[in-house]
Amino acid sequence: MQRLHTAMTATAVAAALTAGGLISMASANAETEFSYGGYIKLDAMVTRTDSGSLPSGSIGRDFYIPGLTPIGGESNTYTDFHARETRFFFRANQTLANGETISGYVEFDFLGTAGGDKRVTNSYSPRVRHAYIQYKNWLAGQFWSNFQDTAIIPESVDFIGSPDGIVFNRQPQIRYSNNGFSVSVEQPETTVTPNLGGTARVTTGDTAMPDFTARYQQQVENIHYSIAGIFRRLEYRQNGVDATEAGWGVNLTTKINFGPHDLRAGVVHGEGIGRYVGVNSVNDAVVNQALNLDALGYTGFSLAYRHVWSAEYRTNLIFTRGKFEDKRELTGLNANDHTQRIAANLMYQANERMVVGFEYSRATRELLSGADGNLDRVQVSVQYSF
């Protein structure tokens, strides 16, 4: 009987995957429901850097990474086209014999992976974004960090939109959620700046204790809000260093709806949270002269306003900034002082499935030495969701 059910389920999945417009379907005995979806997206952008170069193959040519804005050198202009943000997901929901449900979810795209170039085929490997199991109040697998609030990510033509000033992290974890409260234990990792190392990075792989997070979120009429905290242990046991340091952070976020419009805002502050914020544009800690670790501080701000002009047109205005603690006596003057991005876009809803976006942005990165660089980008995208 089990063999028959497996065969019928496999047939159902095959039928779903070959039925073009079919979004989901159930197995023959209705115990397991499979679904799939995602979107296909083309990005075309022209980028100008006024102080240095972004080499071909750099992830900063595909989407905005705060720590990659060049500083030092001649101005350059690039044109890039790619479809790497295209993504697919698969979900299975199963009803158990006792009436409870269990689900599994896998999602992948093609950003940030090796294996392709712009010369002939533009072939890129897929990467795992999410892969998790949900059962009762539990989640186990790779998902957004519980320290993050995805509600404040703005609608943007760029992949992230406001990375400088927000928590942005996906990783393996075990999470328990109940009535707006959630706690998690998550994958640990420590990124370290060598003594007087500027923006250099050592990814230690030495951390023994998982990262702990707690969050409370709620929706009160038109206002969503979230309060999250994290506690971590930073460790480095290489190159003559044998040290640990505590890290902590607080993340306050809100999304306020005004009819069809909305305002999204957040502030995050902490020490030793570098890999959670600004796409790791600051490290977690720095090695001091005594070969111990000093946690590096960070404060991030983000603000985005979405205005809906009509059923077809809407605009998003975005401001985001990450400010790093000044520890020049340990990092040297070539460490980042702050990064910032401002952007404005126009989104055209061509039909219920396709959106065409146009966006202009300016990003700035400044070092403790005062040296800085700007990155200006005009980006157009076409996205079909299915």
Side-chain angles (χ1 to χ4, degrees):
M1 191 65 169
Q2 179 62 38
R3 189 174 299 172
L4 177 61
H5 174 259
T6 302
M8 296 176 75
T9 299
T11 303
V13 172
L17 294 177
T18 56
L22 191 62
I23 300 302
S24 66
M25 59 89 59
S27 64
N29 61 8
E31 288 184 350
T32 305
E33 182 182 83
F34 298 93
S35 60
Y36 70 92
Y39 61 75
I40 299 169
K41 185 184 180 194
L42 171 70
D43 286 295
M45 62 196 80
V46 178
T47 303
R48 181 181 182 276
T49 56
D50 68 0
S51 184
S53 300
L54 276 173
S56 180
S58 168
I59 193 173
R61 298 275 290 266
D62 294 329
F63 64 97
Y64 171 58
I65 303 288
L68 294 184
T69 300
I71 297 175
E74 301 297 322
S75 63
N76 284 275
T77 302
Y78 319 94
T79 296
D80 294 289
F81 287 61
H82 71 81
R84 300 182 70 179
E85 193 183 322
T86 296
R87 73 179 59 161
F88 298 90
F89 73 80
F90 300 91
R91 185 192 300 273
N93 293 298
Q94 187 167 29
T95 302
L96 304 176
N98 61 3
E100 295 176 342
T101 60
I102 185 171
S103 66
Y105 182 92
V106 177
E107 179 177 295
F108 59 91
D109 66 8
F110 307 89
L111 278 172
T113 59
D117 59 59
K118 296 168 61 178
R119 295 180 297 109
V120 182
T121 63
N122 291 270
S123 303
Y124 297 97
S125 305
R127 66 166 184 171
V128 174
R129 284 174 50 84
H130 302 295
Y132 60 85
I133 303 160
Q134 284 184 297
Y135 176 61
K136 295 184 177 180
N137 299 91
W138 294 91
L139 179 147
Q142 180 162 305
F143 192 52
W144 297 112
S145 170
N146 190 48
F147 187 45
Q148 179 179 350
D149 183 9
T150 58
I152 68 163
I153 297 177
E155 182 182 33
S156 176
V157 177
D158 179 71
F159 175 58
I160 304 176
S162 59
D164 305 71
I166 66 171
V167 177
F168 188 87
N169 181 286
R170 289 186 303 270
Q171 62 189 5
Q173 62 192 270
I174 300 172
R175 182 190 302 190
Y176 177 81
S177 304
N178 191 18
N179 293 326
F181 288 98
S182 53
V183 294
S184 69
V185 290
E186 305 191 8
Q187 173 176 266
E189 184 58 280
T190 302
T191 60
V192 172
T193 302
N195 187 249
L196 300 179
T199 57
R201 172 171 299 138
V202 177
T203 303
T204 73
D206 294 330
T207 312
M209 187 185 83
D211 293 353
F212 295 94
T213 81
R215 183 158 68 104
Y216 177 71
Q217 67 173 10
Q218 199 57 258
Q219 182 79 31
V220 181
E221 295 182 347
N222 64 321
I223 300 175
H224 159 89
Y225 65 90
S226 170
I227 304 168
I230 188 170
F231 180 78
R232 1 183 12 222
R233 182 176 178 178
L234 314 174
E235 300 189 31
Y236 187 26
R237 308 192 185 283
Q238 305 170 39
N239 303 318
V241 181
D242 186 0
T244 63
E245 179 67 284
W248 61 272
V250 177
N251 188 25
L252 307 176
T253 55
T254 187
K255 178 182 176 184
I256 305 172
N257 294 314
F258 306 95
H261 324 298
D262 65 66
L263 181 71
R264 311 176 195 203
V267 57
V268 53
H269 175 75
E271 294 186 355
I273 59 171
R275 75 177 184 87
Y276 283 87
V277 293
V279 198
N280 207 173
S281 51
V282 62
N283 290 323
D284 298 319
V286 60
V287 178
N288 62 27
Q289 290 87 345
L291 298 184
N292 291 316
L293 292 179
D294 273 24
L296 291 170
Y298 165 92
T299 302
F301 305 93
S302 64
L303 186 66
Y305 174 66
R306 181 174 184 257
H307 189 90
V308 178
W309 302 101
S310 67
E312 291 81 24
Y313 294 98
R314 53 191 182 269
T315 296
N316 295 270
L317 305 175
I318 301 165
F319 170 80
T320 181
R321 181 182 177 93
K323 182 71 172 69
F324 314 121
E325 182 180 6
D326 187 339
K327 287 195 173 182
R328 64 183 67 197
E329 71 279 6
L330 301 181
T331 63
L333 293 176
N334 287 327
N336 290 325
D337 177 75
H338 70 269
T339 66
Q340 177 179 295
R341 181 178 190 257
I342 57 172
N345 63 47
L346 178 66
M347 313 299 287
Y348 168 55
Q349 192 77 45
N351 55 54
E352 63 269 26
R353 292 291 184 177
M354 189 171 76
V355 177
V356 179
F358 174 86
E359 184 168 282
Y360 168 75
S361 65
R362 161 162 279 209
T364 301
R365 181 166 72 99
E366 183 173 322
L367 304 180
L368 291 173
S369 66
D372 63 6
N374 297 307
L375 184 151
D376 295 283
R377 177 168 286 168
V378 175
Q379 185 169 350
V380 177
S381 68
V382 181
Q383 178 176 319
Y384 160 60
S385 299
F386 58 90

